């Protein structure tokens, strides 16, 4: 196979985003915009040249952390147009073979479409990836002659009224024969208004010299959506979410209301799981089969095994094992391992704790930095006092213990197996196994005294 490279243009500031974050680092369904483009391009290209400029260090820093792509970063110090950006990378290319040029801000173009573009590239000196869109405003238009041959791409500001009606647009994605790209790129002249070099001008230069120009029309125009502002970002996210939800539903996941369900790309969910409305499932999350998730639930970077019920809750960076029941209104902060059949109920917050199989924390508790054995029951209002104002300490509650309501367990603390803590106790000394512990004031009753304190009728 001949060489296939990809140049991705991502040096622009993205002025229309009105944001201090570089455009290509804005989040789209769980990943920065640029990462979607890289995912798709890397499925066909041998090497990738990413042209960066505006806040380029931030883009580079982010991508270096992903530790995944074989990317060569190319700097475009001054953003003098898409033609100039490609020029920055041309010397790194071999003399022959094909190169795809992609924009860093069109993340919906699929790997399949890029493959189609590339295959058509074998018949032409350049192929443009085009789309027929309902509203072409703002995009470069594909202008054809009376024999339907592409003759040029015209940008919005240069369109005559007839050209403005053309609904076939340039997605900013091309497959070039490298030798032709290298030959014509230097011939692009600066635009008279802005002094920028437009890559799109290469098409008419090549047409003049009789080269063959192809156009590969997208089946689904939505893939061609470019992101220039935050409204277009939201539109693109809607398209991507729709596809994510569709794929899950065709694999047996029930999504009660896809329009109000927000699942990141890469999340996996088993069949016979039901997702109720207003649920966000983000990051590196895996959910098993037969679960009931939502409504009104946020899950981030969490592994959930089969047949878990999780309702009206927030969960981050946890493992939740089979048949656990979480919520309503639970908050599971990072670092929890919630065992098989565990119940975490309403208004319970759990952090950095291991809760072993079958234990129950049903109401109104805080459990932080604890190791709780199997079959433990926490009464309502149990608080683990894990923080002394300077340090965090751990608490161990061994299996089959019973903690009465409204107890405070002051860490560091060990409660032995099968212990019984009386309700309302404040425990700050270790408890030997099998002990019953009272740590509260003794009650005194004064018969008849109440009437002195009650209002007279
Ligand atoms: C560009 C195309 C337009 C096409 C549209 C598709 C040109 C002149 N116009 O317009 O025909 O319909 O994309 O979405 O090519 N960039 C650089 N360096 C620069 C300028 C831009 O790296 O000096 C990068 C940007 O970061 C961006 C991409 O190139 O990722 C496209 O630039 P942008 O300014 O968004 O071009 P459009 O106006 O959308
Ligand atoms: Ca753009």
């Amino acid at each position: 196979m001949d060489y296939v490279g990809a140049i991705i243009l991502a040096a622009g500031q993205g002025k229309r985003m009105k944001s201090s974050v570089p455009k290509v680092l804005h989040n789209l369904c769980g990943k920065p915009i640029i990462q979607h483009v890289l995912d798709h391009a890397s499925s066909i290209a041998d090497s990738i040249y990413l042209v960066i400029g505006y806040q380029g260090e931030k883009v580079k820093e982010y991508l270096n952390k992903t530790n995944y792509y074989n990317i060569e970063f190319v700097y475009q110090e001054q953003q003098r147009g898409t033609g100039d950006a490609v020029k920055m990378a041309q010397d790194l290319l071999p003399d022959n073979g094909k190169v795809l040029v992609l924009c860093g801000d069109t993340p919906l173009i699929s790997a399949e479409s890029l493959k189609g573009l590339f295959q058509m590239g074998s018949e032409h000196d350049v192929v443009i990836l085009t789309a027929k869109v309902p509203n072409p405003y703002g995009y470069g238009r594909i202008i054809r002659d009376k024999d339907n041959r592409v003759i040029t791409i015209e940008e919005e500001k240069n369109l005559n009224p007839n050209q403005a009606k053309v609904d076939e647009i340039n997605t900013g994605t091309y497959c070039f024969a490298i030798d032709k790209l290298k030959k014509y790129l230097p011939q692009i002249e600066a635009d008279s208004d802005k002094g920028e070099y437009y890559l799109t001008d290469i098409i008419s230069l090549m047409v003049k010299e009789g080269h063959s120009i192809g156009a590969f029309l997208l089946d689904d125009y939505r893939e061609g959506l470019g992101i220039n502002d935050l409204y277009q970002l939201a539109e693109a996210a809607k398209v991507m979410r729709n596809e994510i939800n569709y794929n899950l539903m065709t694999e047996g996941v029930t999504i009660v209301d896809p329009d109000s369900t927000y699942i990141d790309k890469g999340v996996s969910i088993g069949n016979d799981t039901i997702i109720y409305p207003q649920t966000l499932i983000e990051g590196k999350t895996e959910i098993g089969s037969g679960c009931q998730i939502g409504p009104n639930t946020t899950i981030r970077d969490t592994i959930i095994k089969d047949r878990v019920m999780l309702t009206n809750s927030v969960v981050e960076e946890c493992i939740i094992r089979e048949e656990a029941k979480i919520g309503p209104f639970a908050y599971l902060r990072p670092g929890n391992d919630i065992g098989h059949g565990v119940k975490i109920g309403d208004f319970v917050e759990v952090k950095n704790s291991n809760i072993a199989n079958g234990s129950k924390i049903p109401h109104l508790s805080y459990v932080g930095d604890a190791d709780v054995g199997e079959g433990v029951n926490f009464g309502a209002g149990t608080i683990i006092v894990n923080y002394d104002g300077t340090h965090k300490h751990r608490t161990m509650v061994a299996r089959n213990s019973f903690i009465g309501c409204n107890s405070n367990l002051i860490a560091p603390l060990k409660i032995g197996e099968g212990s019984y803590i009386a309700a309302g106790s404040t425990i700050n000394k270790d408890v030997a196994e099998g002990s019953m512990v009272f740590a509260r004031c003794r009650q005194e009753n004064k018969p008849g005294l109440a009437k002195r304190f009650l209002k007279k009728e």
Side-chain angles (χ1 to χ4, degrees):
M1 267 276 280
D2 284 347
Y3 171 88
V4 193
I7 299 173
I8 301 177
L9 309 183
Q13 174 182 358
K15 285 199 189 76
R16 291 164 276 184
M17 299 293 272
K18 308 264 167 71
S19 166
S20 57
V21 176
K23 170 159 75 175
V24 294
L25 288 188
H26 279 259
N27 178 56
L28 174 66
C29 296
K31 292 182 206 173
I33 294 170
I34 190 69
Q35 210 171 334
H36 296 280
V37 180
L38 288 163
D39 275 344
H40 300 154
S42 63
S43 73
I44 27 179
D46 302 322
S47 46
I48 292 182
Y49 304 95
L50 185 65
V51 184
I52 52 176
Y54 177 78
Q55 294 196 15
E57 281 307 314
K58 265 197 191 161
V59 177
K60 191 172 170 181
E61 193 187 321
Y62 174 80
L63 290 171
N64 279 340
K65 271 189 290 185
T66 65
N67 213 2
Y68 165 43
Y69 301 104
N70 182 15
I71 307 171
E72 190 150 340
F73 294 94
V74 181
Y75 276 90
Q76 184 194 26
E77 300 296 343
Q78 278 184 311
Q79 284 77 62
R80 293 191 302 172
T82 47
D84 181 68
V86 176
K87 252 185 239 172
M88 301 299 132
Q90 67 167 349
D91 291 341
L92 301 168
L93 299 173
D95 291 333
N96 289 296
K98 296 282 181 187
V99 64
L100 300 175
V101 174
L102 303 96
C103 288
D105 65 354
T106 50
L108 300 179
I109 296 167
S110 66
E112 288 70 42
S113 299
L114 292 179
K115 221 162 274 166
L117 173 76
F118 170 69
Q119 277 160 2
M120 196 168 174
S122 63
E123 301 154 29
H124 300 279
D125 295 319
V126 58
V127 182
I128 310 162
L129 187 68
T130 73
K132 287 200 169 169
V133 298
N135 177 15
Y137 182 82
Y139 291 98
R141 307 294 208 283
I142 304 297
I143 308 301
R144 294 170 183 266
D145 66 11
K146 59 181 186 340
D147 298 320
N148 212 32
R149 283 184 302 225
V150 176
I151 46 172
T152 186
I153 299 175
E154 280 299 348
E155 293 303 307
E156 182 71 43
K157 64 184 174 66
N158 300 327
L159 295 172
N160 68 36
N162 271 336
Q163 293 169 333
K165 286 187 213 138
V166 170
D167 66 351
E168 187 182 10
I169 61 114
N170 168 29
T171 64
T173 311
Y174 320 79
C175 177
F176 282 98
I178 293 174
D179 55 342
K180 305 298 180 307
L181 179 72
K182 285 188 175 183
K183 177 165 177 208
Y184 290 99
L185 208 45
Q187 298 180 27
I188 295 176
E189 287 175 12
D191 170 72
S192 52
D193 296 346
K194 287 190 164 177
E196 291 191 357
Y197 295 83
Y198 295 149
L199 179 61
T200 43
D201 288 347
I202 203 169
I203 301 301
S204 55
L205 291 170
M206 288 174 70
V207 167
K208 254 185 236 150
E209 297 294 320
H211 291 291
S212 101
I213 316 288
F216 183 83
L217 180 68
L218 285 172
D219 281 340
D220 183 350
Y221 75 88
R222 295 173 305 176
E223 283 186 31
L225 290 176
I227 297 175
N228 296 313
D229 58 33
L230 291 172
Y231 178 74
Q232 289 175 326
L233 176 61
E235 274 189 316
K238 206 174 220 172
V239 172
M240 191 172 278
R241 269 201 304 273
N242 192 45
E243 184 198 315
I244 293 167
N245 289 345
Y246 175 86
N247 289 337
L248 289 166
M249 288 186 280
T250 54
E251 292 300 324
V253 177
T254 300
I255 298 180
V256 173
D257 179 21
D259 287 340
S260 70
T261 303
Y262 309 83
I263 303 176
D264 277 352
K265 192 141 191 166
V267 166
S268 70
I269 305 181
N271 68 335
D272 292 328
T273 285
I274 304 177
I275 313 287
Y276 290 100
Q278 297 300 345
T279 292
L280 287 79
I281 307 178
E282 300 180 336
K284 290 192 177 64
T285 294
E286 293 170 26
I287 298 178
S289 295
C291 298
Q292 291 183 38
I293 308 288
N296 308 314
T297 291
T298 300
I299 303 168
R300 189 171 309 122
D301 296 325
T302 288
I303 295 177
I304 296 179
K305 302 290 191 179
D306 297 341
R307 300 180 300 285
V308 165
M309 283 177 69
L310 173 50
T311 178
N312 287 280
S313 293
V314 175
V315 179
E316 297 169 60
E317 297 172 40
C318 292
I319 298 180
I320 302 177
R321 297 181 191 276
E322 287 80 356
E323 290 167 23
K325 287 194 172 66
I326 315 294
F329 314 114
Y331 181 19
L332 300 186
R333 289 166 51 200
N336 295 310
D337 184 330
I338 307 292
H340 192 137
V342 163
K343 158 90 181 156
I344 307 282
D346 48 284
F347 309 105
V348 174
E349 175 175 335
V350 185
K351 181 213 99 177
N352 196 24
S353 293
N354 301 304
I355 314 293
N357 300 347
S359 285
K360 294 186 169 59
I361 311 173
H363 349 255
L364 300 157
S365 286
Y366 172 66
V367 176
D369 303 307
D371 301 295
V372 176
E374 291 181 12
V376 169
N377 191 88
F378 277 43
T382 298
I383 302 294
I384 298 221
V385 185
N386 62 323
Y387 185 48
D388 60 14
T390 315
H391 297 105
K392 304 267 167 75
H393 302 280
R394 290 200 78 83
T395 295
M396 206 266 280
V397 180
R399 58 208 294 263
N400 298 333
S401 292
F402 181 95
I403 313 295
C405 289
N406 258 3
S407 295
N408 296 307
L409 307 182
I410 302 181
L413 184 68
K414 285 193 172 114
I415 294 183
E417 183 179 335
S419 297
Y420 192 110
I421 308 295
S425 293
T426 293
I427 307 292
N428 61 357
K429 287 198 288 248
D430 287 356
V431 173
E433 81 173 68
S435 308
M436 167 118 195
V437 184
F438 295 89
R440 64 188 187 204
C441 296
R442 203 170 267 283
Q443 180 170 330
E444 259 185 78
N445 289 6
K446 310 268 187 195
L449 194 58
K451 66 175 184 293
R452 263 180 53 191
F453 294 90
L454 293 172
K455 276 194 188 141
K456 303 224 165 52
E457 277 170 20

